[in-house]
Amino acid sequence: MGKVTGFMEFERLEEGYEPADKRVRNYKEFVIGLTPEQAKVQGARCMDCGTPFCNNGCPVNNIIPDFNDLVYRGDWAEAITTLHSTNNFPEFTGRICPAPCEAACVANINGDAIGIKSIEHAIIDRAWAEGWVKPQAAARKTGKKVAVIGSGPAGLAAAQQLARAGHDVTVFEKNSRLGGLLRYGIPDFKLEKSHIDRRVAQMEAEGVVFKTSTLIGAMPTEGAGAKVTNDAKTVISAEELKAQFDAVVLAGGSEQSRDLPVPGRDLDGIHFAMEFLPQQNKVNAGDKLKGQLRADGKHVIVIGGGDTGSDCVGTSNRHGAASVTQFEVMPEPPVSENKSLTWPYWPIKLRTSSSHDEGCVREFAISTKEFVGDGKKGGKVTALKTVGVKFEGGKLVEIPGTEKEYKADLVLLAMGFTNPLAPVLEAFGVDKDARGNAKAGTDDLGGYKTNADKVFVAGDMRRGQSLVVWAIREGRQAAREVDRFLMGETTLPR
């Protein structure tokens, strides 16, 4: 694989970034991808390791050593064929996946992992540029009709696989544009939406029908779920949908935001991340919004240390925030992991995103006790009261004497998501697990099937909040089981 001695001869080369002071002036992607020659050198580093743990580290089981070798040898057309055999949308994963494959890379045991994600990024961008990505319409139609609810990565993957198997597929999306959380949850500076539009055009040429602004079932009327972006103009009941289709795939996201019910939560200026982020994406797309949530000149506190919190940091910086501070309740992790203990699994270590580099103060082991307002009834938030915390006896406890107050004009809650929107599952009579997700297994026979007749589930709606690459895997696997359910057998890949 690659050059036998390449991992000893060549160093890992990271993709580049435009300077922070330049990129915060717009919402365009700023990653500088590898040149063909640089990608070839990275492919050369892939060692003949015997057991490629990267394959299992990757949720879609990308055939990584093969496409690394093909890039090294200059066979880019075969490289994209190999990549597409397991991953419907490498332009998404090549940009926003955290690359668990690299954590599992054998070269990572005592050195630097192969730049797998950067090679994937280079392959798919080259494939689009060369015109190698073409519609793959089914040669023969089955006459079976499948409805897919949700146009995020799980729904799109399921729809594309089912259409290529010959089924008539219709994708329903409650928003006016397609892409789900790819469209509304990920800032444009990480994933420009033209990548989604290009795939949708390919899928339409393959026979997939898309219906936007269409809600299936019902939406929550109160709480965090009621604040999910929703442009629906048409509502279709679960019963009506099931009567029209031979199978239904529920592939919505985990959209119920985790709240922070502390004193002062009802003050103005405290919002969920998924109120804040979608608005900017809509404005970038040309929508006119009244009262857009903006961070201009404000002291912004982002509560939550994950990717969504980082996205809030990057967007606030582009608005021109006076300051941005990010809270994380967990202690600060080590800069480098102990590889002898963690490899080949995903390690807990300090991860600094491009948004952090643009300007952000990060506070670890901190808990918010109270939101402070300006004293007016229904007034605005002006500060947060916090306390330091530590693990003791297996639980987080407060540290006396660490109380502190932070100035805040805008607070963004980015503490993750608890479960999918319950009314959708309830409309179809789907059983839920203890976490509020749809209950369905993944076994080879009957996997992804819910208790409800001819209703399947995939992605965040089944497994909970997760990665885009897991959503693609689940969509592909669910499509396989739907095809088997409809036809008695399937030729779709595992």
Side-chain angles (χ1 to χ4, degrees):
M1 299 300 167
K3 187 177 182 182
V4 175
T5 57
F7 70 99
M8 297 186 291
E9 297 177 32
F10 307 118
E11 299 293 326
R12 176 184 169 96
L13 177 65
E14 301 283 354
E15 293 179 312
Y17 292 162
E18 288 185 359
D21 61 346
K22 179 180 179 181
R23 66 184 189 244
V24 295
R25 300 174 190 169
N26 58 65
Y27 294 89
K28 296 179 181 179
E29 290 181 10
F30 52 80
V31 173
I32 302 171
L34 302 183
T35 65
E37 186 57 36
Q38 289 171 335
K40 177 179 179 178
V41 171
Q42 282 303 292
R45 296 184 66 241
C46 189
M47 58 197 298
D48 190 6
C49 57
T51 302
F53 286 83
C54 57
N55 286 7
N56 288 331
C58 173
V60 293
N61 302 124
N62 277 338
I63 313 171
I64 294 164
D66 291 42
F67 68 63
N68 284 345
D69 182 63
L70 289 163
V71 167
Y72 167 62
R73 300 183 186 284
D75 194 346
W76 290 79
E78 187 61 27
I80 187 56
T81 299
T82 301
L83 181 52
H84 268 152
S85 71
T86 57
N87 185 352
N88 296 66
F89 313 119
E91 63 269 49
F92 304 159
T93 53
R95 284 170 167 79
I96 60 176
C97 182
C101 55
E102 294 186 13
C105 175
V106 171
N108 190 46
I109 295 175
N110 59 358
D112 293 326
I114 313 306
I116 301 167
K117 178 180 174 181
S118 62
I119 294 172
E120 180 177 342
H121 187 180
I123 293 171
I124 184 58
D125 281 8
R126 173 89 179 259
W128 280 111
E130 297 285 354
W132 295 333
V133 184
K134 299 181 182 298
Q136 300 176 34
R140 184 173 59 185
K141 304 293 284 187
T142 65
K144 301 292 186 179
K145 298 170 63 178
V146 183
V148 176
I149 315 305
S151 66
L156 292 178
Q160 186 165 63
Q161 293 296 97
L162 288 165
R164 290 176 176 178
H167 306 304
D168 293 318
V169 181
T170 303
V171 176
F172 295 90
E173 168 59 52
K174 67 181 184 297
N175 289 301
S176 59
R177 294 184 178 89
L178 299 162
L181 292 176
L182 286 171
R183 173 78 63 178
Y184 293 109
I186 297 173
D188 290 2
F189 56 81
K190 288 176 64 175
L191 179 73
E192 291 181 5
K193 306 317 177 216
S194 58
H195 303 298
I196 302 171
D197 299 336
R198 192 161 52 180
R199 279 295 178 181
V200 167
Q202 179 200 30
M203 292 174 65
E204 287 177 327
E206 294 172 350
V208 178
V209 175
F210 293 94
K211 293 186 178 296
T212 56
S213 300
T214 304
L215 177 66
I216 307 301
M219 282 284 291
T221 56
E222 59 183 21
K227 297 183 178 182
V228 169
T229 178
N230 172 29
D231 305 323
K233 297 179 181 178
T234 302
V235 179
I236 300 176
S237 70
E239 292 77 15
E240 183 182 352
L241 195 79
K242 288 176 67 175
Q244 296 176 20
F245 291 88
D246 300 296
V248 176
V249 180
L250 305 180
S254 184
E255 297 184 88
Q256 190 80 35
S257 297
R258 184 173 282 108
D259 208 343
L260 185 59
V262 299
R265 173 64 181 88
D266 58 346
L267 289 167
D268 185 30
I270 304 170
H271 301 275
F272 293 111
M274 286 306 296
E275 295 176 78
F276 178 68
L277 295 174
Q279 288 191 4
Q280 186 57 56
N281 286 4
K282 287 186 174 185
V283 169
N284 292 346
D287 290 357
K288 304 295 184 183
L289 299 183
K290 292 182 179 179
Q292 181 194 357
L293 294 177
R294 292 194 58 89
D296 313 59
K298 296 179 180 178
H299 296 282
V300 180
I301 302 289
V302 178
I303 302 179
D307 287 343
T308 303
S310 174
D311 294 342
C312 290
V313 170
T315 302
S316 296
N317 282 327
R318 282 160 178 76
H319 283 181
S323 69
V324 183
T325 305
Q326 185 176 24
F327 289 176
E328 170 56 62
V329 72
M330 302 299 288
E332 183 173 353
V335 174
S336 299
E337 72 273 31
N338 185 336
K339 293 181 180 180
S340 63
L341 291 177
T342 61
W343 183 90
Y345 301 108
W346 184 250
I348 296 175
K349 66 177 182 179
L350 183 64
R351 302 177 191 277
T352 300
S353 72
S354 57
S355 292
H356 294 141
D357 289 336
E358 293 163 2
C360 175
V361 175
R362 303 172 75 183
E363 299 285 359
F364 294 89
I366 189 170
S367 177
T368 302
K369 295 283 290 180
E370 181 183 351
F371 298 112
V372 179
D374 56 12
K376 301 175 184 177
K377 185 177 180 180
K380 297 183 70 66
V381 66
T382 60
L384 284 78
K385 291 183 178 180
T386 68
V387 65
V389 291
K390 65 178 180 180
F391 270 105
E392 193 173 273
K395 62 177 70 173
L396 281 173
V397 296
E398 297 180 2
I399 303 173
T402 60
E403 293 80 7
K404 192 173 179 180
E405 187 166 301
Y406 288 81
K407 181 176 177 58
D409 305 307
L410 175 64
V411 179
L412 300 173
L413 305 180
M415 301 173 295
F417 306 88
T418 59
N419 51 267
L421 301 180
V424 177
L425 299 181
E426 291 164 359
F428 285 91
V430 173
D431 288 344
K432 292 178 281 188
D433 63 18
R435 297 183 298 161
N437 299 320
K439 185 184 290 186
T442 60
D443 50 72
D444 189 45
L445 295 174
Y448 300 89
K449 174 77 170 64
T450 71
N451 63 293
D453 180 42
K454 66 183 183 184
V455 177
F456 294 74
V457 67
D460 287 7
M461 195 167 272
R462 191 199 70 82
R463 66 178 286 116
Q465 176 190 352
S466 192
L467 305 175
V468 166
V469 68
W470 271 109
I472 295 172
R473 174 196 172 93
E474 294 240 334
R476 287 172 61 90
Q477 295 292 294
R480 175 181 168 84
E481 295 309 315
V482 171
D483 187 42
R484 192 203 307 272
F485 169 77
L486 294 174
M487 308 303 294
E489 59 183 7
T490 182
T491 57
L492 288 176
R494 287 180 52 81

